[in-house]
């Protein structure tokens, strides 16, 4: 084998129309290694020469307008603009994460308005309290869609055409290519081309004979991966948009023995996407049979939860068969597009309230909200109907409740729980009577008493203070002046907080993410390259073999691959020598030298 060289890349080849193009242009051999569009005009050159008169001015103006529109479309559908829009979309999502949003927590938005009188009006004008439905965020989102689709569609058609066509014929001067090898052989040109065709097809090249050379190409998956990546981005954007428009998210507190039906009126709080309809809720219901929690009792992690699980019976549809399941933290119940997560836990002491005659007017497990990790809890007990005072007047009763599952004991510090388990439960109550204000039509927190309400008055003890008491399970607190009694029953139930999330499109988003990773890996690690093997009869009767390769970008692996291919072809068409045959095992040394020479150059 006579020589191997490395030269310029395809990107360094002068374009047609430039000086030296007649000698240096690779023609079709160097084209279409990528489906990226090329600029054919620059702004200001669309109208060309303007003919005299009104008709010339109108024609020139029309060409300029059409040219500018085409130029703008090319810019919008370029990859650099798509990446810029994707970056802007990421930046635009930052305020949505840092600033409270109307769609997710209107109460926090109102609190922010009260605390920031100057910033709030500015945020309102910029749409920062509803980022994801604002005009500017929607504009970026839509432009990104248009950019990706406008970029992908023509490139897909072009790539499809490349797959259907054959690799282009060999350029006139193979010495201009980045990797090149040549030798002379006694085999005929037809035998060399046949050997080269066999070798290239064995290496999974698409190859065919055209003229005096074999043309081959490989690495189409690079462009396919690029297209898959951008199509996957579109799928992900559609899936995210679909999920945001039709999503639902609500919370429900359920006491042991109670149930939940997936209807809008059953939720404690609920939020949804702009296109949500009540009929979109998955039809199911469940009952909380029991809640189980275990805690670490010794060591530095004392009080740390070890087990949180809710045993439920659920059914799907109006006539669905009852099924049993256990919901754990990070192991939700999945029903269609809906997922039921276990998110919180607490205690619900059972309380019985009697009037002055001893009649039961209230008997219920009252859920209280935890204040710390040891389940110190507080809440309110509201008796709204059925109670009359000793004079026979209808009233409402309210009790401010404070509960600890493990009390340290009287005189052992403040009333805070020492452990989250039910080791020494104590319920502290403060009693009120009058009008709770629930009939005024104004929403109020079910876990708090409005003690500032002038119509709600506290019961007084002998010293004139608010009547209070601490109760152990089974104990009863008598209200002053024969107003009745409150009993802390021994039946202490637990409650579980569930979050029901329904977000369609998650499966498509996951599929798009996986496809994007696969496509990106293909576009980064697969190299598109072309190889040509030319065999022609020389003036002395020997066959001159030339082999060259061209890649989309410069790569050290291309000369190495050309060396390996040349060695395989050389084994079937060895170098012609005028001396005695070389010993066995040395005939392929020239072929292996191709790879070494390519790397050294």
């Amino acid at each position: 084998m006579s020589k191997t060289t490395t030269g310029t890349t395809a990107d360094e080849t002068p374009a047609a129309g430039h000086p030296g193009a007649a000698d240096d242009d690779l023609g079709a051999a160097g084209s279409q290694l990528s489906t990226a569009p090329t600029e054919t005009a620059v702004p200001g050159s669309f109208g060309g020469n303007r003919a005299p008169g009104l008709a010339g001015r109108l024609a020139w103006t029309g060409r300029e307008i059409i040219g500018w529109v085409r130029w703008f479309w090319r810019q919008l559908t370029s990859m650099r603009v798509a990446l810029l829009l994707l970056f802007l979309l990421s930046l635009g999502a930052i305020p949505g994460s840092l600033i409270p949003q109307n769609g997710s927590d209107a109460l926090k938005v109102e609190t922010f308005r009260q605390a920031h009188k100057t910033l709030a009006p500015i945020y309102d004008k910029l749409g920062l309290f509803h980022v994801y439905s604002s005009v500017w965020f929607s504009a970026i989102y839509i432009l990104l869609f248009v950019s990706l689709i406008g970029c992908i569609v023509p490139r897909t058609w072009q790539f499809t055409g490349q797959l259907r066509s054959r690799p282009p014929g060999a350029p006139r001067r193979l010495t201009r290519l980045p990797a090149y090898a040549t030798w002379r052989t006694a085999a005929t040109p037809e035998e060399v081309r046949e050997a080269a065709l066999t070798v290239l097809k064995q290496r999974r090249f698409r190859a065919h004979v055209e003229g005096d050379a074999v043309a081959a190409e490989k690495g189409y998956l690079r462009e396919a991966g690029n297209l898959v990546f951008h199509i996957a981005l579109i799928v992900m954007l559609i899936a995210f948009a679909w999920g945001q428009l039709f999503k639902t998210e609500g919370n429900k507190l359920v006491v042991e023995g109670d149930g939940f039906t997936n209807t809008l009126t059953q939720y404690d709080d609920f939020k949804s996407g702009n296109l949500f309809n009540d009929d979109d809720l998955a039809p199911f219901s469940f009952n909380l049979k029991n809640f189980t929690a275990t805690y670490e009792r010794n060591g530095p992690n004392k009080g740390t939860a070890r087990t949180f699980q809710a045993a439920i019976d659920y059914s799907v549809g109006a006539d669905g068969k009852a099924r049993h399941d256990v919901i754990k933290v990070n192991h939700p119940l999945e029903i269609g597009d809906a997922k039921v997560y276990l998110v919180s836990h607490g205690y619900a002491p059972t309380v019985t309230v009697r009037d002055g005659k001893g009649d039961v007017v209230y008997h219920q497990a009252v859920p209280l909200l935890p204040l710390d990790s040891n389940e110190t809890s507080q809440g309110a007990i509201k008796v709204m109907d059925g109670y009359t005072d000793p004079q026979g007047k209808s009233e409402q009763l309210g009790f401010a409740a404070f509960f600890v599952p493990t009390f340290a004991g009287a005189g052992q510090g403040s009333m805070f729980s020492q452990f989250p388990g039910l080791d020494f439960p104590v319920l502290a109550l403060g009693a009120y009577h009058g009008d709770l204000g629930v009939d005024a039509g104004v929403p109020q927190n079910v876990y708090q008493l409005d003690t500032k309400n002038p119509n709600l008055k506290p019961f007084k003890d002998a010293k004139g203070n608010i009547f209070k008491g601490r109760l152990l399970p089974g104990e009863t607190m008598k209200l002053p002046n024969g107003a009745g009694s409150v009993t802390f029953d021994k039946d202490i139930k637990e409650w579980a907080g569930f979050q029901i999330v329904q977000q369609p499109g998650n499966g498509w988003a996951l599929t798009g993410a996986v496809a994007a990773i696969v496509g990106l890996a293909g576009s980064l690690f697969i190299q598109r390259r072309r190889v040509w093997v030319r065999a022609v009869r020389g003036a002395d009767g020997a066959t001159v073999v030339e082999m060259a390769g061209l890649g989309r970008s410069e790569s050290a692996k291309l000369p190495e691959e050309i060396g390996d291919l040349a060695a395989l072809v050389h084994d079937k068409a060895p170098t012609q020598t005028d001396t005695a045959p070389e010993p066995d095992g040395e005939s392929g040394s020239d072929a292996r030298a191709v790879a070494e020479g390519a790397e050294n150059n």
Side-chain angles (χ1 to χ4, degrees):
M1 221 175 291
S2 60
K3 70 173 182 176
T4 175
T5 63
T6 59
T8 59
T9 66
D11 295 85
E12 297 172 327
T13 304
H18 288 70
D23 294 332
D24 298 335
D25 190 14
L26 298 176
S31 66
Q32 295 184 343
L33 273 171
S34 169
T35 56
T38 57
E39 287 289 347
T40 57
V42 295
S45 64
F46 309 118
N49 295 327
R50 185 169 63 189
L54 179 60
R57 179 182 293 275
L58 292 176
W60 178 86
T61 303
R63 290 195 300 270
E64 277 290 313
I65 293 174
I66 294 174
W68 274 105
V69 171
R70 288 177 175 173
W71 178 84
F72 177 79
W73 176 254
R74 282 195 297 269
Q75 302 308 308
L76 180 61
T77 56
S78 65
M79 281 299 172
R80 62 178 178 269
V81 172
L83 292 175
L84 177 62
L85 290 171
L86 190 61
F87 176 69
L88 290 177
L89 194 69
S90 302
L91 288 180
I94 293 176
S97 302
L98 300 179
I99 300 173
Q101 301 293 292
N102 280 318
S104 58
D105 198 331
L107 184 59
K108 283 188 177 181
V109 173
E110 188 60 32
T111 303
F112 186 92
R113 292 179 191 275
Q114 297 298 327
H116 303 83
K117 298 292 186 179
T118 303
L119 279 179
I122 299 175
Y123 284 5
D124 270 325
K125 292 181 180 179
L126 295 177
L128 296 183
F129 290 127
H130 51 93
V131 169
Y132 304 112
S133 60
S134 62
V135 174
W136 57 268
F137 191 86
S138 300
I140 297 174
Y141 210 89
I142 294 172
L143 283 175
L144 180 58
F145 266 110
V146 174
S147 178
L148 288 174
I149 294 173
C151 179
I152 289 172
V153 171
R155 293 180 69 148
T156 302
W157 284 115
Q158 185 177 345
F159 182 60
T160 302
Q162 293 178 18
L163 292 177
R164 297 176 62 184
S165 63
R166 289 184 166 188
R172 186 158 44 90
R173 297 170 59 186
L174 291 178
T175 54
R176 291 285 300 154
L177 299 184
Y180 174 81
T182 183
W183 72 93
R184 299 164 66 82
T185 180
T188 64
E190 291 77 12
E191 292 174 340
V192 174
R193 288 191 286 269
E194 185 65 29
L197 189 64
T198 302
V199 168
L200 290 168
K201 287 186 176 181
Q202 288 176 347
R203 289 295 187 95
R204 298 189 301 276
F205 279 83
R206 291 177 58 196
H208 70 104
V209 178
E210 183 170 333
D212 58 1
V214 176
E217 189 168 358
K218 190 178 182 181
Y220 290 93
L221 287 179
R222 177 189 179 96
E223 193 63 31
N226 189 27
L227 293 174
V228 167
F229 171 73
H230 289 91
I231 292 173
L233 283 182
I234 293 179
V235 172
M236 291 172 62
L237 289 173
I238 293 175
F240 290 147
W242 186 269
Q244 289 296 317
L245 290 173
F246 291 94
K247 74 172 183 179
T248 63
E249 182 180 314
N251 294 284
K252 179 62 179 179
L253 185 151
V254 182
V255 179
E256 287 177 324
D258 292 343
F260 167 78
T261 302
N262 194 27
T263 58
L264 203 56
T265 56
Q266 287 276 298
Y267 284 94
D268 294 332
D269 61 80
F270 183 84
K271 53 189 176 184
S272 64
N274 294 335
L275 299 183
F276 162 76
N277 187 285
D278 293 357
D279 297 332
D280 296 332
L281 288 174
F284 69 89
S285 61
F286 67 84
N287 291 320
L288 177 61
K289 305 301 291 182
N290 62 76
F291 183 90
T292 304
T294 60
Y295 307 92
E296 190 70 39
R297 288 198 165 268
N298 300 299
N301 295 323
K302 181 181 178 180
T304 302
R306 289 292 177 234
T307 303
F308 267 178
Q309 60 184 40
I312 65 166
D313 290 335
Y314 74 97
S315 60
V316 180
D319 302 318
K321 181 180 178 181
R323 309 174 193 176
H324 182 75
D325 203 347
V326 176
I327 304 177
K328 302 179 181 179
V329 177
N330 296 326
H331 291 81
L333 172 67
E334 298 187 26
I335 304 175
D337 288 334
K339 292 184 179 181
V340 182
Y341 293 91
L342 177 63
V343 294
S344 58
H345 155 260
Y347 290 102
T350 303
V351 175
T352 300
V353 180
R354 293 178 173 84
D355 61 15
K357 299 177 182 180
D359 296 330
V360 175
V361 294
Y362 184 91
H363 177 74
Q364 188 172 325
V366 183
L368 305 178
L369 300 182
L371 300 175
D372 55 30
S373 59
N374 284 328
E375 299 294 334
T376 302
S377 308
Q378 71 174 4
I381 302 170
K382 299 181 180 182
V383 182
M384 293 178 285
D385 299 303
Y387 174 78
T388 56
D389 64 11
Q391 288 75 36
K393 179 182 177 182
S394 295
E395 274 192 324
Q396 294 175 333
L397 298 180
F399 301 90
F402 200 85
F403 175 79
V404 291
T406 302
F407 184 42
Q412 301 296 318
S414 58
M415 188 174 169
F416 280 89
S417 179
Q418 307 301 305
F419 187 76
L422 287 172
D423 292 349
F424 187 10
V426 173
L427 177 65
L429 298 175
Y432 295 81
H433 67 100
D435 184 2
L436 295 172
V438 295
D439 299 326
V442 179
Q444 60 176 245
N445 193 330
V446 296
Y447 301 103
Q448 291 181 348
L449 283 179
D450 184 10
T451 57
K452 295 181 180 180
N453 179 4
N455 297 320
L456 185 64
K457 301 177 181 179
F459 283 101
K460 301 289 187 176
D461 59 14
K463 297 180 180 180
N465 299 320
I466 298 176
F467 186 81
K468 298 179 181 180
R470 289 180 181 175
L471 302 176
L472 296 176
E475 292 185 344
T476 299
M477 180 177 74
K478 297 288 186 178
L479 297 177
N481 303 320
S485 64
V486 183
T487 302
F488 177 22
D489 296 345
K490 293 183 179 181
D491 182 19
I492 302 175
K493 295 185 177 182
E494 299 185 59
W495 60 260
F498 298 95
Q499 184 178 68
I500 299 91
V501 178
Q502 189 169 330
Q503 189 164 4
N506 282 348
W508 283 104
L510 177 61
T511 302
V514 173
I517 294 173
V518 173
L520 183 61
S523 65
L524 291 176
F525 299 112
I526 298 175
Q527 185 188 21
R528 184 121 174 241
R529 65 269 195 202
R530 290 171 179 164
V531 174
W532 295 274
V533 181
R534 175 175 284 144
V536 295
R537 185 75 68 178
D540 58 354
T543 299
V544 178
V545 182
E546 292 181 290
M547 179 178 287
L550 177 66
R552 178 176 173 181
S553 58
E554 187 174 359
S555 173
K557 292 184 178 181
L558 180 62
E560 180 180 346
E561 186 174 29
I562 292 297
D564 292 340
L565 293 172
L568 294 173
V569 176
H570 184 270
D571 289 342
K572 298 183 179 182
T575 301
Q576 178 180 356
T577 60
D578 296 331
T579 59
E582 296 177 350
D584 292 342
E586 297 182 3
S587 59
S589 60
D590 287 342
R592 285 186 290 273
V594 174
E596 297 174 1
E599 293 176 356
N600 293 334
N601 290 335

